[in-house]
Structures are given as C-alpha cells and as structure tokens.
Amino acid sequence: MSEALLVVNSGSSSVKFAAYDTGNSGGGADSALARIASGKIEGIGGTPRLLIRGQDGAVLEDRAISLPADLAQAQQQAFGQLFDWLGRHADGRTLGAVGHRVVHGGERFSRPARITPEVLAQLDELTPLAPLHQPHNLSAIRAIAGLLPGLPQVACFDTEFHASQPWVAQAYALPRRITEAGVKHYGFHGLSYEYIASVLPERLGTVGEGRVVAAHLGNGASLCAMQGRRSVASTMGFTALDGLMMGTRCGSLDPGVVLYLMRGLGMSPKAVEKLLYEQSGLLGVSGVSGDMRTVEASETPQARQAIELYLYRIRQQLGSLAASLGGLDALVFTAGIGENSAMIRRRVCIDAAWVGVALDDAANEAPSSAARRISTPASRVAVWVMPTDEELMIARHTLAVLDLL
Ligand code: AMP
C-alpha cells in the first residue's frame, strides 16, 4: 500500500496544505506523486474554517471548526483535525512524512533538511530575518512533532534556489566582517522559481535555457533572473522586504529612512518592523487594502497611485535584472496577481517594450488557468503566464530527502 505525504505552508493565522499519494511506483518524482487533496485552515486565533478540495478541485469540506484561543494550542488542534480527516479519507494509505515551506534557510541550509531538534534550533535563530513567516513555519513543525513525534518532517527553503547567484549578486557593499556574518542577499520565493525553472524546457525549449526573468507577483512579490534555469539575481535580499512593492511590504527603501524613523521619529525597532512589513505596500499607499483585487476595483486617487507605484517598481527592477542578464529572452508571470491580473500583465508588458516585449492582447485577456504564451509571434521576448506549484516542489524535495523515491 502506498504512503501519503503532507505538504504544509503555515502562516500567522492560516495553514495551507496539500496531500499526495507517493505511489511507490518508481520512475521518478512526477510519476510517483499524485495530489489527492488540498486546502487550508483559515482564521486561526479568530473564526477558524477548514476548506478541503479533492483531486479534481471539488470542495469536500467547507466548515467552521472550533479551536482554543491560545495560538500554539489552536495550531496543534488544527493539525489534529486535519490528520483526523486525512485518516478517514486515506483509503488505506499511511501518512509517511510532512514537508514544510520554511522561508529562510540562512547560509547554513542551501538544501532541504530533515528536521531534528538541532536543525529546528538553528532555524529559530533566523527568525529575526523573516519575522512575518519564520516563526509560523517553525511552530507548525513543533505542533506536528507534538502530535506525531515519530513522523519524519522536512524543511524546504525559499532561499535555496538563489544559492547559485554569483558573489556580486549576493554581496552588499558593507565591511567584510558584516558580510561574513551572513548579511547578504539571499532571495526568496525560491520554491516557486524552482518549479518555474523545472517546466521551462517543456514550455520554451532552448529559449528556457537563456535569459529569463520570472515575476512572482502575489501577496509577496519578487523578480528572479535566471540563466541556464539557475538563479543569477533577484529583487529580494537579506529579508523578504526588499525589491518590489508588495501587498503590505514596502520593497526597496533607502536605509536612511529606517534610521530616520527610529532617530527622528522615535519609533521602536518593533514599530518600524510592523510599519515596513504590515502597513506599507499596496495597503499603505492606497489606504484601501493590501489585496490587489480590492485595489484594482477601487476608484480612489490613492488606489490609482498605488497601482502606478507598483508598476513603476516592476518597470525599474525588470530593467535592472535584464541588465544583470545582458538582455532578455523570456518573461514569465506567476502567483496570484501574475496569473490572474490581465491589467497588471498588460501594463508591465507595455513598459517592457524597450527590451523587445510585444504583448498579444487577446491571449493576455483570454480567461485560462493553464500555462500559456501571451506575446505575439514576432515578440523578441517570449512572454508566458505559468501557474506556480510550490507544493509539488516541496513534495519532491521531501521524498528526495527521505529517499522515498
Ligand atoms: P498569492 O499570494 O499568490 O495567493 O496572491 C495573492 C494576490 O493575488 C492578492 O493581492 C490578490 O488580490 C491577487 N489576485 C488574485 N486574483 C486576482 C485577480 N483576478 N485580479 C487581480 N489580483 C488578483
């Protein structure tokens, strides 16, 4: 009988998950992995709900659940309810492992790692580098270890894909002792970019081996420059704050602003952290929302300006990455905004006409959730929309680390 594998992406108040059948069929990662269910638990610490979809996307469960007020206990009980559900719908499969998205692997983790108490302690030390994500990623690991102590767990890192970047793309112009203490560009959304890199050959053929910029535009947003399907530069840096404007994060900022916020305005480091991570970006500029759908639908001048600034940052930073690559052969849009907002894609492509992008408007507007080309046949740069699949990447890594393939 085959085993099931659970993939977990845990945030501050939600847990997204996907369950796979590992097949035991041999023949490589793709033939062995079949998604059997996916879903999320939202509203942890508030009004929790469980949503589970089956293999075909049909809703199997969508109901309020009851959880305690204490966050750690709530998270543990949320996983308990999920395991109960999986147990009842496992068709005889046993749960063999859990793979986690962990945002920061620092310098030490350039490959996925099996969780041990030592690994967990090392990952705890990276929490100040990703305060919005890392603590929730790690508390999910602890919650599951508390429920099922013997179950193997694997951490897969958003920083890993960028370990291939050359020194100049990684270094800040800071004194050596600071660089050597690990203060450098790491880059994030690596699991998403790694998935995109894995499907480039089948979509783009040899063009996919060339100079490609992938634009992961979701709540978090970044660009990644790839050459030979390896990361050579990205817009995010030491933390997931840098680069593009995001839902609630500011993106690139003169570091002098941070000094002024603390010295000039007397803000505490904690208040600055909250401002930059949770109150800036689309939310801060529009005053309406950090959610692009809501901002797009708003008529206020501030919301219009928020979109203009969002696009200006992409225009500038796409130029910067094209310069790092010495030109551009392909541009790939992915994640919530990249996959769904035809307006944002159209405006980005108009701005990128100088580098050889010519958009096929009809292809861009066509409602589809499949990977598709949206540039004209004459476009010097091939432009694509590709749905990302970070969960599949985590599942593949987890099986490989545990040698279950
Ligand atoms: P993600 O983090 O990848 O789930 O992406 C979330 C972002 O995608 C949010 O800002 C959503 O508003 C945005 N999004 C999802 N669907 C659409 C859409 N149809 N149009 C514009 N933005 C969208």
Side-chain angles (χ1 to χ4, degrees), residues 16 216-220 290-294 296 335-337 340-341:
K16 292 187 192 150
H216 179 108
L217 307 178
N219 277 323
D291 191 295
M292 183 57 94
R293 265 172 302 199
T294 312
E296 277 190 27
I337 298 169
N340 295 300
S341 177

Side-chain angles (χ1 to χ4, degrees), residues 113-128:
R114 182 164 180 170
I115 296 292
T116 63
E118 295 73 36
V119 166
L120 208 45
Q122 286 159 355
L123 294 175
D124 270 331
E125 289 171 16
L126 298 169
T127 288

Side-chain angles (χ1 to χ4, degrees), residues 327-348:
L328 192 63
D329 301 311
L331 172 62
V332 178
F333 289 96
T334 194
I337 298 169
E339 291 170 33
N340 295 300
S341 177
M343 183 277 285
I344 294 290
R345 290 195 303 260
R346 179 168 51 77
R347 293 282 310 273
V348 169

